[in-house]
Amino acid sequence: MKREEMSIVIPVRNREGLIGRCLDSVKAQAWRPIRIIVVDNGSSDDTREVVKEWFSANEEAELKLTLVEEPAPGAAVARNRGLKEVDTEFMLFFDSDDVMLPGLIEKVMAAFMEDGQPDIVHWRTETILGAGRKKISKFTLTDEWRCHIYHAMLATLCYAVRTDFFKKTGGWNESLTGWDDWELGIRLLLNNPKLKGINEVLARIYPQTESITGSDFNSKVGIWERAIDTAEGDVEQSGRSDSEWLIDMINYRRVILAAHYKREGRGDLAKPLLCKALVLRTVSSHRRWLLRLIYYYTALGGRGAYLLWR
């Protein structure tokens, strides 16, 4: 039986020293055929030359390699450019800083071929934090809405998807420059996908100091709020019967962001955001009290507040 091809879209900008490691990890996958689509997003270093050299040294019949350019800045823009090149039934997005662990594509494709034919296959990732510390991403087989809204279960490196299903969501929101994968995951779930989970770590993330996420929240104020507001709008426009429940969880993220601002010494940013969360029409007086408790608990360094917000 002919094997299905998997397309992998990798945006890259100024990663001349890292992109080779990422591409090596894709080539090391046992599954074939694979198509790698690298989108250079206006690199000013030798990234393009490194990719071209890697392509020249590694292209083979069942490892198809494509390099395109997208000068407009932004990972979302670059990913959408790569999406235009995808002509296979299955695809995933990957980041140029990070690596696939052995067996990722083989296990994912096996899951796609199982009875039930899922639209999305998701897995765990491992983030290397330094000093011997690691963080494993949250995962669930039964409570995907909570796991994604609270923990970004469908972050960029955590899933593969049927291409037609992904395109139905409208692609990446190019107006967002932070938490854009979180907002996209909400739109994916709003389309009621059939999900298949693999409870294994299949990718490793190496955070970079110049990442959009950065080391604090207040230095990029407005970016996170825009993603929360957009996700809230996505749910409102969906007309779902459970929209108030979903907005309630999204509003929790607003309170947690306010608490981060407070913990970073920016009460001036925290106060209006907290007020916006508390006046949401779906928040009862009891829930308003609980949100305040969650806010102060998190601002003081507490963790796991989501367990209170059920």
Side-chain angles (χ1 to χ4, degrees):
M1 183 176 70
K2 180 182 177 181
R3 283 190 164 198
E4 294 288 345
E5 186 173 356
M6 169 66 80
S7 288
I8 301 151
V9 175
I10 307 174
V12 61
R13 177 180 170 84
N14 294 341
R15 291 289 190 264
E16 61 182 3
L18 295 172
I19 183 63
R21 179 183 67 181
C22 173
L23 294 173
D24 286 343
S25 75
V26 178
K27 182 186 178 184
Q29 298 295 308
W31 185 270
R32 294 292 187 273
I34 296 174
R35 183 182 182 195
I36 303 175
I37 302 166
V38 176
V39 184
D40 182 69
N41 194 207
S43 293
S44 58
D45 63 1
D46 288 333
T47 293
R48 283 189 300 277
E49 287 67 30
V50 170
V51 172
K52 288 176 182 178
E53 290 176 7
W54 193 95
F55 278 14
S56 178
N58 291 279
E59 189 161 17
E60 57 189 57
E62 293 198 312
L63 185 65
K64 304 174 185 177
L65 308 173
T66 302
L67 173 62
V68 297
E69 296 189 18
E70 176 50 69
V77 179
R79 291 179 182 121
N80 280 337
R81 175 64 184 88
L83 180 61
K84 293 178 181 179
E85 300 293 321
V86 177
D87 58 4
T88 57
E89 184 176 357
F90 305 100
M91 65 168 299
L92 62 87
F93 293 93
F94 212 75
D95 286 347
S96 59
D97 314 314
D98 307 318
V99 300
M100 292 185 177
L101 297 185
L104 184 153
I105 298 180
E106 198 161 20
K107 291 174 181 178
V108 167
M109 293 303 292
F112 274 125
M113 298 300 122
E114 288 181 3
D115 291 341
Q117 296 186 324
D119 300 302
I120 297 173
V121 175
H122 62 103
W123 56 85
R124 290 183 183 268
T125 59
E126 175 185 75
T127 301
I128 305 302
L129 300 174
R133 296 180 301 125
K134 301 176 182 179
K135 180 181 178 181
I136 306 299
S137 64
K138 298 290 186 180
F139 178 92
T140 185
L141 295 172
T142 58
D143 200 1
E144 63 273 6
W145 271 114
R146 288 187 184 278
C147 196
H148 180 68
I149 291 177
Y150 294 159
H151 308 296
M153 182 184 77
L154 296 180
T156 308
L157 269 67
C158 293
Y159 69 94
V161 62
R162 290 183 182 271
T163 305
D164 288 345
F165 184 87
F166 185 85
K167 290 181 176 179
K168 188 168 65 173
T169 70
W172 293 80
N173 187 328
E174 296 179 6
S175 72
L176 301 179
T177 54
W179 289 356
D180 49 337
D181 54 349
W182 176 76
E183 184 270 340
L184 173 59
I186 287 173
R187 280 188 285 125
L188 288 169
L189 291 175
L190 286 172
N191 277 283
N192 300 312
K194 295 178 183 177
L195 291 166
K196 174 70 176 181
I198 301 174
N199 193 5
E200 297 180 41
V201 171
L202 296 181
R204 186 169 292 133
I205 298 171
Y206 295 90
Q208 304 300 311
T209 55
E210 68 274 26
S211 167
I212 183 64
T213 304
S215 58
D216 60 34
F217 289 93
N218 71 84
S219 63
K220 296 183 175 67
V221 61
I223 287 177
W224 325 114
E225 291 90 335
R226 188 157 50 251
I228 292 172
D229 291 344
T230 301
E232 198 171 68
D234 295 337
V235 173
E236 288 175 343
Q237 293 172 23
S238 72
R240 290 174 61 110
S241 60
D242 60 353
S243 61
E244 288 192 1
W245 172 65
L246 298 176
I247 289 172
D248 205 35
M249 286 189 284
I250 291 171
N251 195 45
Y252 164 87
R253 289 288 297 248
R254 190 175 280 124
V255 171
I256 295 300
L257 177 60
H260 284 309
Y261 286 153
K262 178 70 172 176
R263 189 166 61 187
E264 292 171 3
R266 293 302 306 271
D268 59 317
L269 301 178
K271 185 176 179 179
L273 192 58
L274 177 63
C275 288
K276 181 174 182 177
L278 295 178
V279 300
L280 195 72
R281 63 179 176 80
T282 58
V283 179
S284 66
S285 57
H286 169 72
R287 301 280 276 178
R288 197 171 294 120
W289 174 86
L290 184 55
L291 282 175
R292 286 195 181 97
L293 175 64
I294 287 171
Y295 167 77
Y296 287 111
Y297 170 77
T298 304
L300 290 171
R303 301 177 65 85
Y306 68 92
L307 296 172
L308 299 173
W309 194 246
R310 302 296 296 178

